[in-house]
Amino acid sequence: MSRIYNYLVETEHENFRLDRFVDEQHVPGQPNQLSRSAIQKLVRGGAVTVNGKSAKPGHKLRAGDQISLTIPNGSVMESIQPNHIPLDILYEDSVLIVVNKPADMLVHPAGGVNTGTLVNALLAHCGVLAQIGGAERPGIVHRLDKNTSGVLVAAKTGRAHRHLSAQFEAHTTVREYLAVACGVPKSESGTINAPIRRSRRDPRKMTVSVEAGRHAVTHYRALEIFGKFSLIQLNLETGRLHQIRVHLSHIGFPVAGDAVYGGGRRRALHNAHSPALAEAFAKLNRQALHARTLGFNHPESGEKLTFSAPMPIDMQRVVDALRT
């Protein structure tokens, strides 16, 4: 059975766009966790009305307008259930939460996986997340690959979500990663400026494309050199899907353990210079990539916040073996 929500436009929302108004209605008990794009689709499909009549997403509202939102039965938002999964919380307040995501955890439901994700865990911990964000990823502002560990921020309110998203889009956030790479860069530090697009041969992969790619910039610095491996610090200027993994592979130094972009376990084990290192790589079972630091301005106070998470045990074990 479809669910229907009715709203009255107050004076403070005079001249708001219809899609923006619906996006901001986060009333406790009403699970409106639709993304702006999803809302626009509902509006165009007639599921959102103004005074009983269909309207366009950009329709300007007047005080006193009656808005009706109909959410069809079986929508994705109804299928995401809270899972009580322990979280490594670095910071939390009334509008956002910062966590240290473990490896081997999806950020949000995808590809038929609807449980065990970070979103499921966040919904159980902060139920208010069900009120905001996209239907498939409520509260999620940015993402980390399933097998990448590290710092991630999620929003609890629509205002916080928009503010944080704007910072990521404007590239004003600080995003620092650590990676163990196969090989040694020719220069100790540098910048990789190479546009990225989805691969035409394999839609699950990204690739560098000067002609059709989106602007992507990664700054890197080699922290330690270990013969056939390097410990590299990376700072993202942009945030494309798989950006670090694609960029390091592009310059010939893929992330160790990355089976998709050339640094897979077989290569890592072949270049391991000791039994201890081989054992460490065998236990890693993922790409050696960790989001160590995230910095942004608080969406309410404007205060500059910076959070860091130590390298996880599986990756630290590899670095320790390299050092010895």
Side-chain angles (χ1 to χ4, degrees):
M1 183 176 181
S2 298
R3 289 183 291 178
I4 300 175
Y5 301 103
N6 296 306
Y7 308 105
L8 174 66
V9 179
E10 305 289 351
T11 304
E12 63 187 83
H13 292 123
E14 183 92 43
N15 291 320
F16 266 45
R17 285 173 55 103
L18 176 59
D19 55 357
R20 180 187 173 191
F21 173 81
V22 175
D23 187 35
E24 291 197 359
Q25 304 313 299
H26 307 307
V27 182
Q30 296 187 358
N32 175 22
Q33 57 184 45
L34 299 171
S35 64
R36 181 72 69 88
S37 62
I39 290 171
Q40 291 173 344
K41 289 180 181 179
L42 288 174
V43 174
R44 295 190 183 98
V48 181
T49 62
V50 180
N51 300 322
K53 298 180 180 180
S54 298
K56 295 181 178 180
H59 176 81
K60 295 298 180 66
L61 299 176
R62 295 182 179 180
D65 281 346
Q66 299 282 342
I67 311 300
S68 178
L69 164 66
T70 301
I71 299 178
N73 183 39
S75 62
V76 176
M77 62 180 287
E78 295 178 333
S79 65
I80 302 178
Q81 300 298 321
N83 291 162
H84 292 280
I85 302 171
L87 290 169
D88 183 0
I89 300 174
L90 305 179
Y91 174 83
E92 183 178 12
D93 60 23
S94 61
V95 300
L96 60 86
I97 182 171
V98 181
V99 300
N100 177 20
K101 186 191 85 69
D104 197 34
M105 173 184 268
L106 285 170
V107 169
H108 59 77
V113 179
N114 293 317
T115 61
T117 74
L118 181 62
V119 160
N120 296 104
L122 289 172
L123 287 174
H125 178 76
C126 353
V128 68
L129 277 178
Q131 316 277 330
I132 54 92
E136 301 85 357
R137 47 185 184 274
I140 299 302
V141 179
H142 66 117
R143 291 176 287 179
L144 296 175
D145 296 337
K146 176 183 177 181
N147 288 322
T148 297
S149 55
V151 188
L152 182 145
V153 62
K156 294 183 178 182
T157 68
R159 177 185 174 89
H161 192 279
R162 285 185 290 274
H163 197 289
L164 290 168
S165 295
Q167 292 183 57
F168 278 90
E169 291 175 6
H171 313 310
T172 58
T173 58
V174 174
R175 303 177 71 181
E176 179 187 292
Y177 290 69
L178 290 177
V180 175
C182 294
V184 180
K186 295 179 180 179
S187 58
E188 181 179 332
S189 61
T191 296
I192 308 169
N193 189 339
I196 294 175
R197 67 165 170 79
R198 193 170 295 278
S199 171
R200 290 169 183 163
R201 294 182 178 179
D202 186 348
R204 296 169 298 179
K205 297 175 60 176
M206 306 300 287
T207 186
V208 168
S209 174
V210 176
E211 297 79 14
R214 298 179 66 191
H215 179 61
V217 178
T218 303
H219 304 285
Y220 71 88
R221 181 165 64 92
L223 301 178
E224 298 181 61
I225 305 299
F226 311 103
K228 295 183 178 181
F229 298 94
S230 307
L231 177 62
I232 300 179
Q233 174 184 305
L234 304 114
N235 292 82
L236 292 183
E237 186 172 313
T238 57
R240 306 304 177 201
L241 182 65
H242 299 177
Q243 179 172 316
I244 289 175
R245 298 163 63 193
V246 173
H247 271 175
L248 285 183
S249 179
H250 176 66
I251 64 172
F253 308 102
V255 178
D258 189 345
V260 177
Y261 295 105
R265 180 187 293 185
R266 181 177 298 180
R267 175 172 177 174
L269 291 175
H270 177 75
N271 292 328
H273 55 248
S274 71
L277 181 57
E279 181 181 0
F281 273 129
K283 291 182 177 180
L284 181 65
N285 199 31
R286 68 176 178 103
Q287 66 257 14
L289 182 61
H290 174 65
R292 178 168 68 173
T293 301
L294 176 65
F296 54 86
N297 293 327
H298 193 280
E300 297 290 343
S301 68
E303 178 186 1
K304 182 66 178 181
L305 301 177
T306 302
F307 304 97
S308 295
M311 196 182 298
I313 294 175
D314 60 350
M315 192 169 158
Q316 186 65 57
R317 188 186 296 119
V318 169
V319 174
D320 290 342
L322 285 167
R323 286 172 176 162
T324 57

